[in-house]
């Protein structure tokens, strides 16, 4: 009941603020609620037909957090609505590795401190190198501490920038963000899941024994976020025992998420579910 009431209350708040954003100028009072939000680019130039990296940078006040693509037991992911020159296309956010937030029976996944949400931007083939462009975005996000506040920010970025003093620092921020973001599952590694009634057992074969591991589920309501994850090293990897969510009402064929094996060792994983789930509908 606690989980449902928490989600319902956040839904109501988000709904009310959604109406406010749509029709009231007073909503602007939340534009910088406990966060500084800006747009930055990996480079200060664009190349025709290439992909450029642009990102939404959050500088969050201490104690406040925003959410991952799967927010966990409560919350909502940031959403970006772009206003771009003709021919430019923004792709999906490349979500950095999250952290666990909260205690007790409510655990969320998200970010604290300074976080960059990188977005690949497709530059049109007919773009003329060096031509100034303006990229703009409306960013809506839920920021929380003891309470949650739906907030909205508007940000713009000119490329190339007239003042390029921060270009090197911005490029380094992209580098460190990519370094600490989930990487593709390595070739030769194996992953599978056994359905053991009330639990999933995620077995990873990395070729070497792993002493540490944690799992962030990509989809909501599959894994009990608040339940401890039991980790057992094996000669060639590790096994992670995951309690099923009470909201999981039907079998799943695959378990998707992010496995963290240590600092800088986060990997995207899609593991087939074996066992009693096979053949069920």
């Amino acid at each position: 009941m606690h989980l449902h009431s928490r989600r319902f209350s956040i839904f109501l708040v988000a709904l009310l603020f959604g109406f406010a954003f749509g029709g009231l100028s007073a909503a602007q009072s939340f534009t910088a609620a406990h966060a500084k939000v800006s747009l930055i680019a990996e480079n200060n130039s664009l190349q025709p037909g290439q992909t450029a990296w642009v990102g939404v940078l959050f500088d969050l006040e201490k104690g406040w957090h925003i959410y991952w693509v799967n927010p966990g037991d409560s919350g909502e992911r940031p959403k970006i609505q772009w206003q771009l020159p003709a021919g430019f296309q923004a792709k999906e956010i490349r979500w950095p590795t999250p952290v666990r937030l909260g205690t007790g029976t409510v655990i969320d996944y998200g970010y604290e401190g300074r976080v960059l949400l990188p977005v690949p931007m497709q530059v049109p083939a007919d773009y003329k190198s060096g031509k100034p462009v303006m990229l703009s975005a409306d960013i809506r996000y839920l920021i929380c501490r003891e309470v949650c506040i739906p907030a909205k920010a508007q940000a713009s970025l000119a490329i190339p920038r007239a003042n390029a003093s921060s270009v090197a620092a911005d490029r380094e921020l992209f580098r460190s963000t990519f370094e600490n973001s989930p990487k593709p599952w390595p070739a030769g590694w194996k992953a599978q899941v056994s359905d053991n009634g009330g639990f999933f057992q995620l077995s990873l074969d990395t070729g070497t024994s792993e002493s540490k591991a944690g799992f962030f589920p990509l989809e909501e309501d599959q894994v009990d976020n608040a339940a401890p994850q039991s980790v057992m090293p094996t000669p060639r990897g590790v096994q992670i025992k995951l309690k099923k969510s009470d909201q999981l009402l039907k079998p799943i064929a695959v378990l998707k998420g992010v496995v963290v094996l240590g600092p800088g060792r986060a990997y995207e994983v899609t593991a087939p579910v074996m066992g009693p789930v096979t053949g069920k509908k």
Side-chain angles (χ1 to χ4, degrees):
M1 293 297 293
H2 176 73
L3 174 56
H4 287 300
S5 63
R6 171 79 177 271
R7 280 185 170 165
F8 184 66
S9 63
I10 288 179
F11 168 78
L12 286 179
V13 173
L15 184 63
L16 290 172
F17 274 85
F19 287 133
F21 287 150
L24 297 176
S25 60
Q28 293 301 314
S29 63
F30 290 100
T31 295
H34 306 288
K36 178 183 177 183
V37 185
S38 57
L39 291 182
I40 66 172
E42 183 182 27
N43 295 299
N44 199 32
S45 62
L46 302 171
Q47 300 301 320
Q50 300 298 310
T51 297
W53 284 99
V54 177
V56 179
L57 178 62
F58 289 85
D59 284 293
L60 304 170
E61 286 185 11
K62 185 176 181 180
W64 292 83
H65 62 264
I66 59 172
Y67 292 94
W68 186 47
V69 59
N70 173 9
D73 287 331
S74 62
E76 185 177 352
R77 75 186 76 173
K79 297 178 180 178
I80 309 170
Q81 183 174 354
W82 292 94
Q83 293 86 45
L84 303 173
F88 282 75
Q89 294 183 342
K91 303 301 179 66
E92 295 296 321
I93 295 169
R94 180 176 174 182
W95 297 92
T97 306
V99 297
R100 289 169 62 92
L101 302 164
T103 58
T105 59
V106 177
I107 294 295
D108 299 327
Y109 305 129
Y111 311 100
E112 298 175 307
R114 195 175 209 209
V115 58
L116 175 65
L117 301 183
V119 175
M121 187 76 62
Q122 183 64 43
V123 180
D126 60 357
Y127 166 76
K128 294 182 179 179
S129 298
K131 179 182 178 180
V133 298
M134 179 66 71
L135 310 177
S136 299
D138 292 328
I139 303 110
R140 299 191 183 200
Y141 59 100
L142 192 66
I143 185 168
C144 300
R145 194 170 64 179
E146 286 84 4
V147 297
C148 289
I149 302 174
K152 179 180 179 181
Q154 294 177 317
S156 297
L157 174 67
I159 302 178
R161 281 171 287 178
N163 183 357
S165 59
S166 66
V167 170
D170 291 347
R171 186 178 296 117
E172 173 60 23
L173 186 54
F174 275 91
R175 188 202 64 77
S176 62
T177 298
F178 291 147
E179 187 176 88
N180 291 286
S181 294
K183 301 171 181 62
W185 192 250
W189 286 18
K190 298 178 182 179
Q192 69 175 35
V193 175
S194 298
D195 184 335
N196 297 330
F199 293 85
F200 292 123
Q201 182 166 287
L202 175 59
S203 298
L204 308 178
D205 183 344
T206 65
T208 185
S209 183
E210 306 285 353
S211 60
K212 297 179 180 179
F215 178 74
F216 293 93
L218 186 62
E219 304 291 339
E220 298 182 44
D221 299 330
Q222 292 183 346
V223 171
D224 186 331
N225 303 306
Q229 297 184 3
S230 176
V231 176
M232 180 181 296
T234 65
R236 290 187 52 85
V238 67
Q239 293 179 339
I240 309 173
K241 188 177 181 181
L242 306 166
K243 187 176 185 295
K244 289 183 182 179
S245 169
D246 292 338
Q247 308 305 309
L248 183 60
L249 303 180
K250 59 182 180 180
I252 59 175
V254 295
L255 184 65
K256 298 181 180 181
V258 172
V259 170
V260 180
L261 302 175
R265 300 185 68 214
Y267 301 94
E268 300 168 344
V269 61
T270 299
V273 178
M274 308 297 182
V277 70
T278 303
K280 289 187 178 182
K281 298 182 179 179

